[in-house]
Amino acid sequence: MIRINEIRLGLDEEEELLKDKAAKVLKVNPKYIKSWSIYRKSVDARKKDDVHFTYSLDVEITLDENQIVAKCKSGKAQLVKPYVYEMPANNRVSSFRPIVVGFGPAGMFAGLILAQAGLRPIILERGKDVDSRTADVNRFWKTRVLDEESNVQFGEGGAGTFSDGKLTTGIKSPYIRKILDELYKAGAPEEILYSSKPHIGTDRLVIVVKNIRKEIERLGGEVWLECRLEKLICANGFVHGVTYSKHGEPFDLETDSVIMAIGHSARDTVEMLYKLGVDIMQKPFSVGARIEHPQRLINEAQYGAFANHPKLGAADYKLACHGLHERGAYTFCMCPGGTVVAAASEKEGVIVNGMSSLARDGKNANSALLVGIEPKDFPSEHPLAGIYYQREIEHKAFLLGGGDYRAPAQLVGDFLKGVESKALGEVEPTCPTGVTLTNLDGVLPQKVGATMKSAIVEMDKKLHGFNLYDAVLTAPETRSSSSVRILRDDLMQCNIRGVYPCGEGAGYAGGIISAAVDGVKCAHAVLGDEH
């Protein structure tokens, strides 16, 4: 197969032209192209007067491909082998079924791989099925009455279900393609297979999550919902089982392999592991707020005169400012045409996140604007001090917002001046529990607030309009990543043998794809366990 990079297509050109453009690069007649497919598609908006698409194509031809690539003498063409996922050998000799704790991206893919390998995993998820969970979340947003076991953080699909479904990642792994293929088979749009910035959307994620669960069950695995892990049963440094509860009643389950894909908000589970003697260390995390602009402003800033072109859709951005302090400030999980999400999972705590539907057709754009927090900033050297610091900020936000899960918010212009906001401008905040206008200096750590203010000014130089006075900051965003790392060795196990810390909650991932990849790796480790 030949991969051809950097094929340009104008916004008003149709993709049918790609075959002829590929033939031109290879210097062959188009009739010799047996098949072609899009490997990567991206928008090139570096020049605002020349916005276009750039493609990489995978092409099969009826001629000698080695000879053609050598003769065309183009740096754009190279021979490649199609990716094929290979399941590792199953060296496991245990007769016990492996247990996976958590059914977010890490737990889903750990469970799926184990099921495909024939190990019939049992997956424990403390929250409800995705439909019941969605109803509970909508009820919280409407009534501001929180269910601590069924919310944006807990339930089938994990925290990623109520997000943009963004599939971009900074990691490199051969398993990414396997994950994208499985998501596509489960109902994600085909574009995720080749888009340079793939996303599924909250509305489509619900379908995908259910289909992955059904596939695990079809293969002999089981997903036990509303089953919360209470403790690990251990002896002589090995795990021998788990205790879980369903509707308040405890049950024991024997096993010798537990993948802990608990997510970044299962703080009670982390505390249980710490008391059990599991090695845990502090990890840097980030704090900030969601910043909302009119989507129209972002489109114009990114695409200029092409802003309203129907093929472009809602524009996104990714910004960073380094040197403001150790870790600087950056935007994260940008949601074009999206909404801010009230994402609390604990009583008397307020946190926000962002999400978009597949269409990304909302009136506002939002993104997290985050500042790195180092362990030296934590209130103590306790391994869980980061969790306690997060909880303290979230409780402050709860009180500042009015004590009823409304989120504290402030206009960007007022934030830069350090004065309390009294009235909204042109941007209507989308947080579904509502907002309380205030001064965010009352909730954000001083270093975080100061760094954010400098960053907004600097980022406006890169994205005109970013410091729009009427843009709205809604706080706090505290759970972009875990504040702990549960230590594991080269066999992916912690100091209790048979326990595999996994994914974002264990400190080894930072998004849907990286968490899913870690789930695959932990499943492989279980397959390789010969004891």
Side-chain angles (χ1 to χ4, degrees):
M1 187 168 67
I2 302 172
R3 181 162 297 152
I4 307 172
N5 298 311
E6 299 178 29
I7 296 181
R8 171 188 167 125
L9 204 63
L11 298 184
D12 295 319
E13 290 184 294
E14 298 302 322
E15 289 184 345
E16 286 77 10
L17 294 173
L18 289 171
K19 180 179 179 179
D20 290 338
K21 289 176 178 281
K24 187 175 181 180
V25 172
L26 296 178
K27 299 179 181 177
V28 301
N29 191 304
K31 70 180 182 180
Y32 294 117
I33 293 181
K34 182 168 59 175
S35 67
W36 63 274
S37 61
I38 300 171
Y39 176 75
R40 183 73 72 230
K41 176 183 178 181
S42 60
V43 177
D44 188 337
R46 289 173 294 179
K47 296 180 180 178
K48 302 303 179 229
D49 59 348
D50 183 25
V51 178
H52 59 274
F53 293 113
T54 300
Y55 291 81
S56 293
L57 300 183
D58 283 345
V59 177
E60 289 186 284
I61 61 175
T62 57
L63 305 172
D64 185 309
E65 292 184 344
N66 287 282
Q67 201 173 67
I68 292 299
V69 169
K71 281 181 66 176
C72 78
K73 296 180 180 178
S74 172
K76 296 180 180 180
Q78 56 184 312
L79 291 168
V80 295
K81 290 184 178 180
Y83 170 75
V84 178
Y85 169 76
E86 293 184 8
M87 180 74 72
N90 180 10
N91 296 319
R92 184 174 167 82
V93 297
S94 170
S95 60
F96 292 115
R97 297 169 70 179
I99 291 175
V100 179
V101 181
F103 199 59
M108 276 195 292
F109 277 89
L112 181 61
I113 295 297
L114 292 174
Q116 290 175 343
L119 294 189
R120 301 170 55 246
I122 296 171
I123 302 171
L124 305 178
E125 167 53 54
R126 68 191 294 167
K128 297 180 182 178
D129 68 272
V130 72
D131 292 327
S132 301
R133 176 191 183 197
T134 299
D136 289 340
V137 168
N138 287 330
R139 189 178 303 112
F140 167 58
W141 289 347
K142 184 177 181 180
T143 66
R144 300 200 285 267
V145 177
L146 176 67
D147 184 335
E148 289 186 277
E149 293 299 329
S150 182
N151 46 60
V152 168
Q153 308 296 343
F154 300 142
E156 184 179 21
T161 303
F162 294 91
S163 71
D164 188 49
K166 206 177 307 298
L167 305 179
T168 50
T169 179
I171 70 167
K172 295 185 183 299
S173 169
Y175 305 134
I176 292 174
R177 182 67 193 196
K178 164 70 171 173
I179 291 159
L180 294 176
D181 286 342
E182 294 292 350
L183 292 171
Y184 172 56
K185 285 195 293 186
E190 185 179 10
E191 288 80 4
I192 70 166
L193 299 178
Y194 56 77
S195 173
S196 64
K197 297 178 180 179
H199 84 289
I200 299 177
T202 306
D203 46 343
R204 189 71 72 91
L205 265 169
V206 171
I207 299 168
V208 171
V209 165
K210 284 193 283 189
N211 286 340
I212 291 177
R213 185 231 307 160
K214 290 175 183 177
E215 178 63 9
I216 291 171
E217 292 170 342
R218 185 188 72 79
L219 293 167
E222 297 177 51
V223 180
W224 296 0
L225 299 163
E226 298 182 72
C227 291
R228 184 175 72 181
L229 177 72
E230 298 294 345
K231 67 177 181 179
L232 300 178
I233 301 170
C234 304
N236 301 318
F238 287 81
V239 67
H240 293 275
V242 301
T243 300
Y244 69 94
S245 62
K246 187 174 179 69
H247 306 313
E249 186 176 355
F251 301 90
D252 289 345
L253 188 60
E254 196 171 2
T255 188
D256 56 8
S257 299
V258 182
I259 294 179
M260 297 291 291
I262 59 177
H264 58 40
S265 292
R267 293 166 170 170
D268 50 355
T269 306
V270 174
E271 289 174 328
M272 177 272 290
L273 294 173
Y274 176 72
K275 290 175 183 176
L276 199 61
V278 171
D279 290 336
I280 299 174
M281 65 178 288
Q282 297 179 345
K283 186 180 80 64
F285 69 102
S286 296
V287 173
R290 281 273 150 183
I291 185 167
E292 286 192 271
H293 298 90
Q295 183 61 52
R296 165 191 51 79
L297 181 149
I298 304 302
N299 293 347
E300 292 170 356
Q302 295 292 63
Y303 297 146
F306 297 92
N308 297 316
H309 197 285
K311 286 188 180 179
L312 289 174
D316 64 3
Y317 60 80
K318 185 177 182 180
L319 303 169
C321 293
H322 300 291
L324 300 171
H325 82 293
E326 292 96 328
R327 297 185 65 206
Y330 60 99
T331 62
F332 176 78
C333 186
M334 192 271 163
C335 297
T339 60
V340 171
V341 176
S345 62
E346 294 181 343
K347 294 289 187 186
E348 298 190 357
V350 163
I351 62 169
V352 294
N353 198 351
M355 73 178 191
S356 301
S357 66
L358 179 60
R360 290 177 161 177
D361 54 1
K363 63 181 179 180
N364 287 356
N366 78 79
S367 175
L369 177 59
L370 300 176
V371 176
I373 298 290
E374 300 291 336
K376 69 179 183 179
D377 300 315
F378 296 179
S380 76
E381 294 183 359
H382 191 284
L384 309 190
I387 288 177
Y388 305 145
Y389 194 25
Q390 288 173 318
R391 187 176 280 153
E392 178 187 334
I393 295 168
E394 292 160 13
H395 184 60
K396 280 184 180 179
F398 176 79
L399 297 176
L400 195 61
D404 60 358
Y405 297 101
R406 286 175 294 165
Q410 189 175 15
L411 271 59
V412 163
D414 293 337
F415 179 67
L416 294 177
K417 290 181 178 179
V419 299
E420 180 179 334
S421 289
K422 301 291 187 181
L424 294 169
E426 69 167 297
V427 179
E428 186 72 26
T430 57
C431 182
T433 52
V435 301
T436 298
L437 291 177
T438 184
N439 187 337
L440 295 184
D441 288 341
V443 63
L444 297 173
Q446 191 277 330
K447 183 174 74 172
V448 170
T451 304
M452 285 172 60
K453 289 170 185 176
S454 298
I456 289 170
V457 174
E458 289 299 312
M459 289 175 179
D460 185 71
K461 298 173 184 177
K462 302 175 183 179
L463 184 72
H464 182 64
F466 194 79
N467 69 349
L468 177 74
Y469 198 108
D470 287 351
V472 175
L473 287 163
T474 308
E477 174 127 358
T478 53
R479 301 198 198 170
S480 60
S481 64
S482 176
S483 61
V484 299
R485 175 164 286 128
I486 304 172
L487 300 183
R488 67 189 187 193
D489 59 19
D490 292 343
L491 299 176
M492 310 291 279
Q493 300 177 45
C494 72
N495 56 312
I496 295 178
R497 309 315 291 166
V499 177
Y500 299 78
C502 181
E504 197 161 340
Y508 296 99
I512 291 174
I513 290 294
S514 59
V517 165
D518 207 55
V520 173
K521 290 163 63 177
C522 285
H524 287 181
V526 171
L527 287 169
D529 187 358
E530 300 179 0
H531 301 289

